Amino acid sequence: MTNLTIFKDSNAVSTGRGRESALSQTLNSGGGTYRRIQTSTNGTFKRLVNGEQIGNAKRGDLDVVIVGALGKVSRVFYPDKYDPNAEAKAPDCWSNLGDVPDPKAPEPQAASCAACPKNIKGSGAAGTRACRYQRRLAVLLAGDDSGDIYQINIPSKSLFGKGVGNVHPFESYVSYLRAHNEMVDTVVTNVSYDPEATNMELRFTPLRGLSDDEYAAVVAAQAQPEATNYTKITLFEKKGEAAEASPTYKLLGREEILGKDAAKPVVKSYAEPDDEEDIPLPEPTKRASTKQQTTERPDPASLAAKVSDLWGDE
C-alpha cells in the first residue's frame, strides 16, 4: 500500500517529504487580528475577522491544511446550558491539556481534571460529563492566497469514534494518517459536515499531499504566533501582537479535484472516550521518502491559476 491510496484523489501528487514536523511531534507526544472559522448547525463555514464575517459562507465542506494543534485534548466547563443565541462569554473553567485548570480560569472546579466532579459521567445532560472535550486547530485555507491563519473549534462529537475508509473523526483521523506515513500538516484536509448526524458533527478526510513548495509555506506559517495561540483557550482571545505576514500559497480544493457531487460515507462517532485516561496518540514514526522520479510535479503557480475563490467577493 502506498501513501496515495488514502486520498480521495487517487492521482494526487505527494512528493517525498520524509520528515517529522514540530506539529507532528506535538500531536504524537503526549492582538491584533483574530481570525477564526465559525461552524454552525446549518452546515456552513464562515470566516470571521475580529468577530465580523468576511465574504460569503461556505456550505457543506471546507479544505484546509492544519498547521497547529495541542498534543492533548482540551476541556471546557460552562455552568449554563448551551444557547446558540446567547452572547459569547468565557467558560468558568478550562484546561488546555486536559490535566489541571488553567491559571486564568475564573472559577476552577477542582485541583485537577481527574479529580473534578464535573468530569464524572452523569454530571452533565443525558449522562454525559458537564466538562466537555474540545480541540482548537490553527489552519490555512485552500483557495486562499493570503497565507492568513484561522482558528477552528472541533467539539467533542467530532473528536471521538471510528472512521469509515478515509473519513474520520479528528482523533481517529490523526491515527489514520500516521498509519499511512502522513501527518496532518503534510496533506490537504477536507472538513465536512455529516448530513446524517442529528447534531453538528465534522468529518476529516485527506484530499491530497502537499508539494514541497506548499509544505515550505506551511512550515513558515507554523513559525507565526497564531499557529500556537489559536490552539489554546484564552481569556482574552483578541489580545496580542500582530504577526508578520507569512508566505502565500494556494491549493487545489476538493471541488476542483472531485466535483461538487462527490459522495461521502457515513461515520459513527461519540462525544466522549470510553475511559477517563488521556487520549493516546501513536508514537511518531519517521516517514520514508515516497518521491517518484517519473512523476511530474505540478507547478505551484499553475495550481494557483486553477483555483477559484470559494468564498465569494469580500
Side-chain angles (χ1 to χ4, degrees):
M1 179 182 295
T2 68
N3 66 306
L4 292 182
T5 60
I6 71 172
F7 296 117
K8 286 185 173 182
D9 176 19
S10 60
N11 296 316
V13 175
S14 181
T15 61
R17 290 176 291 280
R19 55 198 165 217
E20 184 77 12
S21 69
L23 172 58
S24 177
Q25 293 171 2
T26 298
L27 280 172
N28 292 282
S29 69
T33 302
Y34 174 59
R35 300 180 179 89
R36 70 185 181 97
I37 302 298
Q38 182 185 66
T39 57
S40 64
T41 55
N42 67 358
T44 61
F45 299 91
K46 297 179 181 178
R47 286 185 300 172
L48 301 181
V49 178
N50 292 339
E52 297 294 328
Q53 182 175 339
I54 304 298
N56 298 327
K58 178 80 164 59
R59 181 170 295 278
D61 68 323
L62 181 67
D63 298 326
V64 304
V65 179
I66 301 168
V67 298
L70 294 177
K72 295 183 179 181
V73 180
S74 302
R75 299 190 185 215
V76 181
F77 171 69
Y78 288 93
D80 302 322
K81 184 177 179 180
Y82 174 69
D83 180 0
N85 299 316
E87 183 178 351
K89 64 177 183 178
D92 279 25
C93 186
W94 71 88
S95 174
N96 281 307
L97 295 177
D99 50 2
V100 296
D102 190 274
K104 294 183 179 179
E107 297 291 340
Q109 301 296 300
S112 70
C113 295
C116 182
K118 301 299 190 296
N119 187 36
I120 299 175
K121 287 187 176 181
S123 59
T128 63
R129 296 178 177 91
C131 185
R132 308 296 293 178
Y133 293 95
Q134 71 165 225
R135 269 196 185 275
R136 295 189 176 192
L137 306 177
V139 302
L140 295 170
L141 303 178
D144 180 6
D145 61 2
S146 69
D148 291 335
I149 301 173
Y150 287 79
Q151 179 192 80
I152 184 169
N153 182 49
I154 311 302
S156 58
K157 284 285 285 185
S158 304
L159 289 174
F160 307 114
K162 294 183 179 180
V164 174
N166 61 356
V167 183
H168 291 259
F170 185 77
E171 301 303 309
S172 175
Y173 179 62
V174 174
S175 299
Y176 177 75
L177 289 179
R178 170 63 60 183
H180 290 82
N181 298 318
E182 288 288 354
M183 285 82 74
V184 294
D185 56 351
T186 63
V187 302
V188 179
T189 295
N190 178 250
V191 185
S192 62
Y193 288 95
D194 183 353
E196 304 299 325
T198 55
N199 296 313
M200 185 196 75
E201 296 180 21
L202 300 175
R203 299 289 172 254
F204 300 83
T205 309
L207 184 56
R208 67 172 178 85
L210 302 179
S211 70
D212 286 338
D213 289 339
E214 290 169 340
Y215 185 75
V218 169
V219 172
Q222 289 173 333
Q224 302 301 319
E226 295 96 326
T228 299
N229 295 341
Y230 283 179
T231 66
K232 301 175 182 178
I233 305 166
T234 56
L235 193 56
F236 302 104
E237 303 239 355
K238 297 183 182 180
K239 300 292 184 181
E241 299 295 329
E244 296 180 2
S246 56
T248 62
Y249 73 106
K250 213 167 188 178
L251 300 169
L252 281 178
R254 176 179 182 277
E255 291 182 2
E256 285 75 23
I257 294 176
L258 301 177
K260 295 182 178 180
D261 299 325
K264 302 183 181 68
V266 176
V267 176
K268 299 296 183 181
S269 65
Y270 48 92
E272 299 173 348
D274 292 332
D275 53 49
E276 297 290 334
E277 297 179 358
D278 291 329
I279 313 303
L281 293 177
E283 291 298 320
T285 302
K286 189 167 180 77
R287 169 184 175 155
S289 175
T290 58
K291 180 174 287 187
Q292 301 178 8
Q293 299 296 329
T294 58
T295 300
E296 182 179 353
R297 288 169 43 201
D299 179 9
S302 67
L303 292 182
K306 295 179 183 178
V307 179
S308 61
D309 184 4
L310 302 179
W311 294 91
D313 297 333
E314 297 186 6

